[in-house]
Amino acid sequence: MSFEGEFASYEPLRRILESNKVKELQERFKIREKVEEDDDFNEKIIHINEVRKNNLKPDLVIAFDGSNLTAKAMNGYPGAEFGYITVASVIIFLSKIAKLEKEKFIDPKKFRETEEAATIDTVFPGCNVILDNEKSAKASLRKALFESLANTGFDGGESLLETYEYLFSIKRANFSTTKLPKSPIEDYADQDMTYGMGEYTCPHSGESLYSTDALRLHELMNPGGSNGEMFGQIMATIEKLVFVNFLRTFEKVDGWLSTLRRVAFILDGPLAVFSTSSWLAKVISYEIKRINHLQKKINDTDLLIVGIEKSGNFFNHFLEIDTTKDGITDKFPEQSVLLLDDDYIKNNIIFSESKKPYGLDTYFGRKFFYKTASGQKIVPVIASYNDYEHDLRTANPNQFARLGDVMELLDKLVSNQYPNSISPLISAHAEAALPLNLGKRIFEDIAREIRETTNG
C-alpha cells in the first residue's frame, strides 16, 4: 500500500508484465474462441413479430431501486461508520403519458403528474458503532435490522418485517435443511442457530435472538474496516422485500388482484438474491408463483415482472456480440431477442463445467438479450412461474412469460437520457438517491388510479 501523496511509476507494471510467472500463468489461460459469423447464433435470434403478445397492455409500471451511502459516525472510535439505505418505489402512469403524447405541447406540470414516488429510508450501524447496551457492533446491527424492518413499510400495507416473516415461514415449512447456520451470539458460535419469530431468547446464552438473524447479513460485517459490501447486500435484500410487500398488498386489498393484468413490475438488477440471504430467492419464487396462480384464474395471463441488468458480464457480452471484429456496432438486429440457455451462458459468459444449472439457487427468473426499436441494448430477467420456464437446459419463447409484452414495453420505456436504460428505473434511482417522498401513501395513489380507470 502506498503512502499518502505517493504515486506509483510505470516500472512496477512493466515488471509484472515481463515476469516469467505471469507469462507462465497466461499460457495456461483457457481462451474462449470468438467466431465472427456463427450460424447457430443467428438462428437463435427471434424478432418481435415472431412472439405472441396480449391484447391488453400494462398501463401502470411500478419500478424499484435502492441506494446506500456510508458515513462516518462521530462517536470517538476510529473507523466508526453507519450505512444510510433508501429504497424507492415509483409508479409510472402509462395511460397519462399516452394522452400527453397526443398533445402538440406538453405541459411540464402535467408530465410530472404521470408518476408518483415513495421512499423508505433506514440506517444501520457499521464498524465500531454500538447501540444501547449491546456488546458489539455485530449485535447492534442485528438489533437494528430487526427494528428497521418492523418499523418500515408503506401506509396501507404490511410492515417489511411481516413480509419477511411470512417468507421465512415458507422457508421453514417447505425448504428446511438439516444443517443450520451457527449462532450469531458471540462466544456461542459453535452452537446451531435457534430459529424463531420476532424477538426471542437464545436457549444457550439467554441473550436476544431475532427472526431476521436467519438472513445472516451480520456475518458480512467487517469489525475493523469499511462495510460497503454489507450495506449493499442489506439494500438488495430490502429491495426484494419491498417488491414482495407490494405484490402481497395487491392480493390483500379487495378488488386489486384483477388489476394485476394492467401492472408491470420492474426491478433494478437481476431477479435474484445473493450472499447470505440467498435462500430468499427460492421462497420469493414460491410466493410469486402462488400469487401468479391466483391472479391468472381471474386475468387469464401471467404477471409481468422484469429485472434489468445495467452492467456486468452479461451486459458486456451483449455489447461484444453486437460489435464486429472491425469495431462496427449494430450487428445485432433491432427489436430482436437472444434467449439464453445454460450451455450458452457457461460457454460464452460465465465459464463453468458444473452440471448444476447457472443461478439455480439464487435466481427466480431467466435472462435474455433484447435490442429495442431505438437500438438500446437491454439485459432483462423475466420471472419464471413453473419448473418448465425455469429449466435452463432449453431456451424457448414459451419459457419466458409474456415475452412479447415485455419487448413492446421496453420499446416504450427506453430512455434517451442515458444509453441502454429505461425511464422508470432512472426515476426510481433518482428518488432513492435524493429521497423527497419519505413515507408517502403510495398505495393510495394506486387505489386512486384503479378507481379512475374503472370509472372511466
Side-chain angles (χ1 to χ4, degrees):
M1 180 179 292
S2 61
F3 293 103
E4 184 177 354
E6 179 186 18
F7 299 95
S9 66
Y10 290 106
E11 181 61 25
L13 179 60
R14 184 188 64 79
R15 190 168 65 247
I16 290 173
L17 294 176
E18 293 180 356
S19 166
N20 289 331
K21 289 186 177 180
V22 171
K23 292 178 180 179
E24 289 173 3
L25 184 66
Q26 288 177 327
E27 290 174 357
R28 297 170 61 188
F29 285 176
K30 188 179 185 72
I31 306 297
R32 182 177 73 88
E33 295 184 7
K34 297 182 181 180
V35 181
E36 176 67 17
E37 294 295 338
D38 189 330
D39 293 336
D40 292 336
F41 170 83
N42 291 329
E43 289 176 1
K44 292 179 180 178
I45 293 178
I46 302 171
H47 191 267
I48 193 170
N49 292 334
E50 301 176 55
V51 294
R52 178 180 174 274
K53 307 169 198 68
N54 286 328
N55 293 326
L56 185 64
K57 310 300 180 185
D59 54 19
L60 202 67
V61 174
I62 304 178
F64 306 91
D65 193 15
S67 175
N68 75 90
L69 294 171
T70 302
K72 184 178 181 181
M74 308 300 291
N75 64 354
Y77 292 99
E81 64 175 6
F82 62 86
Y84 179 65
I85 294 174
T86 56
V87 175
S89 309
V90 174
I91 308 173
I92 309 291
F93 303 105
L94 295 182
S95 55
K96 294 181 180 180
I97 293 176
K99 290 179 181 178
L100 288 178
E101 287 176 343
K102 297 177 182 178
E103 298 182 7
K104 189 173 183 179
F105 299 102
I106 298 178
D107 184 345
K109 182 177 181 297
K110 289 184 178 180
F111 186 78
R112 286 194 295 271
E113 293 173 354
T114 62
E115 65 179 54
E116 294 286 349
T119 308
I120 57 175
D121 67 332
T122 50
V123 182
F124 297 98
C127 169
N128 264 346
V129 173
I130 313 298
L131 301 182
D132 305 326
N133 296 317
E134 296 299 327
K135 295 181 177 180
S136 66
K138 185 177 292 187
S140 299
L141 172 70
R142 292 173 44 238
K143 182 176 184 178
L145 180 61
F146 175 78
E147 292 178 345
S148 293
L149 295 189
N151 297 322
T152 301
F154 298 101
D155 291 347
E158 62 186 12
S159 72
L160 292 189
L161 181 64
E162 290 173 314
T163 301
Y164 163 74
E165 290 192 339
Y166 171 78
L167 294 175
F168 187 32
S169 68
I170 294 176
K171 168 184 167 58
R172 298 179 69 182
N174 299 280
F175 302 99
S176 60
T177 58
T178 55
K179 185 177 181 181
L180 294 171
K182 294 302 179 182
S183 171
I185 306 294
E186 294 184 24
D187 301 327
Y188 292 87
D190 58 333
Q191 300 290 336
D192 288 341
M193 183 183 293
T194 303
Y195 282 160
M197 293 296 184
E199 181 178 356
Y200 53 101
T201 302
C202 172
H204 307 293
S205 66
E207 298 181 23
S208 290
L209 290 173
Y210 309 96
S211 59
T212 48
D213 287 338
L215 292 169
R216 297 169 53 206
L217 291 165
H218 55 272
E219 295 180 12
L220 302 177
M221 175 170 279
N222 176 9
S226 181
N227 282 277
E229 178 190 358
M230 180 186 72
F231 294 134
Q233 289 297 337
I234 293 175
M235 179 197 72
T237 301
I238 293 177
E239 282 180 5
K240 300 305 186 296
L241 292 178
V242 169
F243 159 64
V244 177
N245 182 284
F246 265 71
L247 264 185
R248 286 175 53 74
T249 300
F250 271 89
E251 178 194 8
K252 289 184 173 185
V253 178
D254 186 38
W256 280 26
L257 204 58
S258 62
T259 66
L260 282 171
R261 68 186 184 277
R262 298 172 38 217
V263 181
F265 296 94
I266 299 182
L267 288 76
D268 179 59
L271 299 184
V273 186
F274 303 109
S275 192
T276 58
S277 55
S278 61
W279 60 262
L280 276 173
K282 287 187 177 180
V283 297
I284 290 175
S285 176
Y286 183 96
E287 179 66 356
I288 64 175
K289 287 176 183 176
R290 184 188 68 81
I291 294 177
N292 185 63
H293 178 72
L294 288 177
Q295 68 85 33
K296 196 171 183 178
K297 289 180 179 179
I298 303 170
N299 299 321
D300 196 32
T301 187
D302 287 314
L303 291 168
L304 204 161
I305 301 173
V306 188
I308 302 293
E309 291 193 26
K310 304 190 296 290
S311 60
N313 289 339
F314 283 83
F315 182 76
N316 292 337
H317 179 69
F318 194 4
L319 296 179
E320 180 183 294
I321 63 175
D322 189 44
T323 307
T324 66
K325 286 183 177 180
D326 299 327
I328 301 173
T329 57
D330 288 337
K331 177 182 173 183
F332 199 98
E334 294 174 353
Q335 288 193 293
S336 298
V337 296
L338 176 63
L339 307 178
L340 307 179
D341 60 21
D342 195 52
D343 284 342
Y344 186 92
I345 292 171
K346 291 177 179 177
N347 290 333
N348 298 283
I349 305 173
I350 307 291
F351 174 78
S352 174
E353 293 183 348
S354 171
K355 294 181 180 179
K356 185 177 182 179
Y358 169 82
L360 179 65
D361 297 325
T362 51
Y363 278 78
F364 51 97
R366 296 279 301 267
K367 300 185 186 187
F368 64 96
F369 297 149
Y370 180 57
K371 180 181 274 192
T372 67
S374 60
Q376 305 273 36
K377 290 173 278 290
I378 309 293
V379 182
V381 189
I382 289 182
S384 302
Y385 301 114
N386 54 57
D387 292 340
Y388 172 68
E389 291 179 354
H390 201 61
D391 187 353
L392 264 71
R393 290 176 297 180
T394 54
N396 302 312
N398 62 353
Q399 290 180 283
F400 294 77
R402 298 185 66 176
L403 177 61
D405 295 336
V406 171
M407 295 165 74
E408 287 188 332
L409 183 64
L410 292 175
D411 281 340
K412 288 183 180 179
L413 298 180
V414 288
S415 170
N416 294 322
Q417 186 177 5
Y418 299 102
N420 308 314
S421 60
I422 62 173
S423 53
L425 288 182
I426 293 174
S427 297
H429 181 73
E431 285 290 334
L434 186 63
L436 300 175
N437 296 285
L438 294 174
K440 188 175 175 64
R441 294 183 173 89
I442 196 166
F443 291 132
E444 288 187 5
D445 296 324
I446 296 175
R448 184 175 61 252
E449 174 68 11
I450 290 172
R451 287 195 302 270
E452 290 176 356
T453 305
T454 303
N455 295 334

